[in-house]
């Protein structure tokens, strides 16, 4: 596609439920990044993939958060037992590789009620 | 640990006036520095980046930024602001490997008055 695509654009879920957020990177981009942006804050790094493997997952806040990229393209961010504090905009970005510009999607706004 | 401070939460500038957005960083080695812009309903867009070399870097949309190691600053400037520049601006610092694991500041919201 022309840019990084994230679905859904908005997600409302009840506390305790499981959610999946999807990211379709730019075709051919090997690196993929997830960030979380809370209200009034800058984006906060969650995890970075190079190909299929998570090269750095040090930003995942706890074991309720998990991300996969099984074929080195589409990635899914999975959140178990959602909490109200998980409410934020989840941003995905991709790049051709390290050291090259990362292009961001428009994000998924997650609201936990 | 890396950190970024953007001391101004909001700035209002008259259309046609000059603009400077402040950014201070903390990083133990030579930083990789970035400015991004986020418009409502849009994703983050890279304005410019500094990796090495000339400390004055030119970006898109007429923006420039100057890296000052002695002041740990990377301020964003534009000589003449247009109404379409109204947006949220984020400064970010990365490690010496590039774009992964960026640390962002809290952002500065730019308002442009007629």
């Amino acid at each position: 596609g022309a840019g990084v695509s994230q679905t859904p654009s908005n997600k409302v879920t009840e506390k305790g439920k499981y959610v999946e957020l999807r990211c379709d990177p730019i075709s051919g981009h090997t690196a993929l990044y997830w960030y979380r942006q809370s209200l009034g804050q800058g984006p906060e790094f969650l995890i970075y993939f190079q190909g299929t493997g998570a090269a750095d997952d040090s930003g995942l806040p706890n074991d309720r958060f998990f991300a996969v990229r099984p074929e080195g393209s589409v990635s899914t961010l999975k959140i178990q037992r959602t909490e109200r504090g998980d409410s934020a905009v989840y941003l995905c970005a991709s790049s051709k590789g390290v050291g090259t510009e990362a292009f961001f999607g428009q994000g998924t706004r997650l609201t936990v009620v | 640990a890396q950190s970024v401070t953007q001391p101004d939460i909001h700035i209002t500038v008259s259309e046609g006036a000059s603009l400077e957005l402040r950014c201070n960083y903390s990083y133990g080695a030579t930083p990789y520095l970035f400015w991004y812009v986020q418009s409502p309903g849009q994703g983050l867009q890279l304005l410019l980046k500094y990796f090495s070399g000339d400390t004055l870097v030119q970006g898109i949309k007429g923006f420039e930024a100057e890296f000052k190691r002695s002041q740990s600053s990377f301020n964003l400037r534009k000589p003449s602001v247009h109404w379409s520049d109204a947006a949220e601006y984020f400064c970010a610092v990365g490690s010496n490997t590039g774009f992964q694991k960026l640390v962002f500041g809290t952002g500065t919201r730019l308002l442009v008055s007629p």
Side-chain angles (χ1 to χ4, degrees), chain B residues 71-107:
Chain B
Q71 298 177 21
S72 296
S73 70
F74 189 57
N75 293 350
L76 182 70
R77 301 194 293 248
K78 187 169 184 178
S80 178
V81 168
H82 188 263
W83 64 267
S84 61
D85 293 324
E88 186 101 27
Y89 291 80
F90 293 94
C91 181
V93 62
S95 67
N96 59 3
T97 49
F99 279 86
Q100 64 271 29
K101 202 171 183 177
L102 299 182
V103 174
F104 285 82
T106 52

Side-chain angles (χ1 to χ4, degrees), chain A residues 45-112:
Chain A
F45 171 81
L46 296 177
I47 187 170
Y48 150 61
F49 287 89
Q50 182 59 47
T52 60
D56 186 340
D57 65 357
S58 61
L60 295 177
N62 52 59
D63 61 6
R64 296 186 298 106
F65 288 75
F66 190 71
V68 295
R69 195 185 185 201
E71 297 178 355
S73 179
V74 171
S75 177
T76 305
L77 179 65
K78 308 180 181 193
I79 310 174
Q80 297 178 323
R81 306 183 303 280
T82 51
E83 300 177 357
R84 293 196 178 88
D86 298 334
S87 296
V89 176
Y90 289 80
L91 298 169
C92 178
S94 70
S95 71
K96 289 182 181 178
V98 299
T100 62
E101 180 178 349
F103 294 86
F104 282 81
Q106 295 189 23
T108 293
R109 181 175 299 277
L110 175 66
T111 303
V112 182

Side-chain angles (χ1 to χ4, degrees), chain B residues 3 17 65 98 111:
Chain B
S3 67
L111 305 173

